[in-house]
Amino acid sequence: MSEQERVHLQELSEKFDALKEEIQQLRSEVGMLRSVRHGSGVDLVILDSIVAYVPTADNLYSNFIPDSNKKYDVFASGLPEVMLGNPSNTPAKVFQDYIEIAASDYSTIILYDIGAWAGDIAIRLARYAKASKIDFRAQCYDPSTAGSLIPFNARLNNVADLVDFVPAGISLDGGPLLFNQVRGHSDSSGLSMVDSFGRDVDSYIINTYTLKEILERNRRPSHQIIKIDVEGIDALIVANNLAILQESTLVIEFNPRQEQYKIIDPRNFLALMNRTHTIYDLFYAPNPTMVNKIDDIDQFMMDILQRKWGYTDLLMVPRVCKFHDRFIQRYKDYKKEPDNYVLAKAHRTK
């Protein structure tokens, strides 16, 4: 290839990247317009170590973000400080500790955040990884109104280079499907096959990928952390892809009352996963309040069914990974906190 051809190829590549960014921006703006049309504005809030735009006519905003964290003025106060230093025994730091432990064995950590909401987990980890000099990338998939805020939030927190956004969903077979945006419950939106429990929804067609298609997009050697929160088919997606997930860390919602567990028995699913992964109970992945290793599946099932919320989030650590045993030792240090369903601790102004 001649020098002139190389220069031309580089120019085409730069134009393609610029077009990709412009398309992503347009998709985000369409999502914002959709939000406004249905009476939901956005507010800039503080979520521990990051700030983020989130929908306001929403259960998460109204009930699970402290008032002291709302209407944040980033221009006056700057970005929140990222919590660095020695790992603490606070369960909320488990994912920060986790990528640090995994990074000692893998040169790159990639988070696939499927059902990413406003991108809060991916962006928190990206900010921490950048400050800690961990090679980290996040790919966020979310077709909802909240998902359309991810590009803005990534830029706002100076991690646009680490966080990619795809306005698409995940399904068992891929392809275009009908999506239900539940009004006032941005964290409960999902494919039309998932029960919205009689709540008002706005439906529109979205593109979906299979998990295999999403993972095949990345050819870079890395450790994969796959977070799946797709409101009702999480276990089915995992069970259908076991052959390619044995070396991947998984974070999924577990609700044994969901319709999917009429297809795959919840106890059998946990027993199946326990063969290849050590399973931990987190309660709520965006802000974990526990890191409890599940040794007795039957006892755990009884506990979940008696909890107020009837569900939990699970962390599944692959047994084949070298860092598995190091995390086994680390998890014992975490102290259980009250099961508060919150997105962030109350922010104290100076």
Side-chain angles (χ1 to χ4, degrees):
M1 182 184 296
S2 68
E3 181 62 26
Q4 185 177 3
E5 288 173 327
R6 261 195 298 271
V7 170
H8 183 59
L9 188 61
Q10 179 64 30
E11 289 175 348
L12 287 175
S13 177
E14 290 173 357
K15 287 180 181 178
F16 178 72
D17 288 342
L19 281 172
K20 255 198 332 184
E21 185 172 336
E22 187 175 339
I23 290 170
Q24 185 166 293
Q25 178 75 18
L26 286 171
R27 282 172 171 162
S28 298
E29 289 173 2
V30 168
M32 294 276 281
L33 288 172
R34 184 188 295 133
S35 173
V36 171
R37 188 191 328 146
H38 296 300
S40 175
V42 295
D43 184 22
L44 186 61
V45 302
I46 185 166
L47 301 176
D48 297 330
S49 59
I50 69 167
V51 291
Y53 287 108
V54 302
T56 54
D58 191 70
N59 66 315
L60 293 182
Y61 181 82
S62 301
N63 301 321
F64 306 115
I65 299 177
D67 288 341
S68 60
N69 294 40
K70 296 174 181 176
K71 297 180 173 54
Y72 188 76
D73 189 343
V74 69
F75 300 104
S77 305
L79 293 176
E81 292 183 7
V82 179
M83 295 173 287
L84 298 176
N86 296 325
S88 72
N89 62 358
T90 304
K93 282 203 68 182
V94 62
F95 290 121
Q96 292 182 2
D97 294 345
Y98 195 91
I99 64 171
E100 195 164 356
I101 292 170
S104 62
D105 292 332
Y106 294 87
S107 59
T108 304
I109 309 296
I110 296 185
L111 169 68
Y112 295 90
D113 194 347
I114 302 165
W117 193 60
D120 56 316
I121 291 181
I123 293 169
R124 290 186 212 208
L125 287 179
R127 283 206 72 202
Y128 179 78
K130 179 173 275 192
S132 302
K133 295 182 169 50
I134 296 171
D135 189 354
F136 173 88
R137 298 284 309 194
Q139 294 186 11
C140 296
Y141 290 78
D142 197 302
S144 72
T145 300
S148 67
L149 299 168
I150 292 173
F152 297 102
N153 292 337
R155 292 189 189 96
L156 189 63
N157 290 277
N158 299 322
V159 290
D161 56 327
L162 302 183
V163 177
D164 297 321
F165 169 60
V166 181
I170 186 174
S171 64
L172 294 171
D173 300 310
L177 289 170
L178 191 64
F179 182 80
N180 286 339
Q181 173 79 60
V182 181
R183 294 181 189 172
H185 291 266
S186 61
D187 60 326
S188 299
S189 300
L191 299 177
S192 60
M193 70 182 82
V194 179
D195 194 345
S196 60
F197 300 102
R199 294 173 295 191
D200 291 335
V201 299
D202 298 303
S203 299
Y204 48 94
I205 299 293
I206 64 165
N207 188 30
T208 71
Y209 298 98
T210 64
L211 182 60
K212 184 178 180 182
E213 287 175 323
I214 288 174
L215 298 182
E216 284 179 345
R217 289 181 161 205
N218 172 58
R219 299 294 181 183
R220 189 177 178 185
S222 61
H223 179 67
Q224 299 174 341
I225 301 174
I226 305 170
K227 174 187 159 290
I228 306 177
D229 185 2
V230 289
E231 297 305 316
I233 56 172
D234 314 57
L236 291 176
I237 288 171
V238 170
N240 285 1
N241 290 276
L242 282 180
I244 60 174
L245 296 178
Q246 295 188 19
E247 297 183 19
S248 299
T249 296
L250 304 172
V251 182
I252 71 167
E253 180 181 296
F254 179 72
N255 182 343
R257 293 188 177 91
Q258 287 175 334
E259 287 291 315
Q260 64 179 323
Y261 290 110
K262 292 181 180 179
I263 301 172
I264 177 171
D265 181 82
R267 283 185 177 83
N268 291 345
F269 172 69
L270 293 176
L272 179 67
M273 295 309 302
N274 197 43
R275 296 175 189 172
T276 55
H277 292 71
T278 299
I279 307 174
Y280 297 86
D281 182 3
L282 300 177
F283 180 66
Y284 183 51
N287 210 335
T289 60
M290 64 177 76
V291 190
N292 289 346
K293 184 168 172 284
I294 299 173
D295 293 312
D296 187 328
I297 291 175
D298 288 326
Q299 181 60 47
F300 170 70
M301 285 289 300
M302 286 191 292
D303 178 38
I304 290 299
L305 292 171
Q306 291 171 4
R307 288 186 190 177
K308 176 182 177 182
W309 303 100
Y311 84 101
T312 192
D313 287 332
L314 300 176
L315 167 65
M316 301 183 178
V317 182
R319 297 180 185 274
V320 297
C321 291
K322 292 180 182 178
F323 66 80
H324 172 273
D325 291 346
R326 293 200 300 278
F327 187 76
I328 285 275
Q329 294 301 315
R330 176 71 187 94
Y331 98 90
K332 298 173 184 177
D333 295 335
Y334 295 109
K335 307 298 181 184
K336 186 178 184 299
E337 294 186 343
D339 293 343
N340 294 323
Y341 185 79
V342 295
L343 279 170
K345 298 289 191 299
H347 175 58
R348 294 181 181 177
T349 55
K350 296 179 180 178

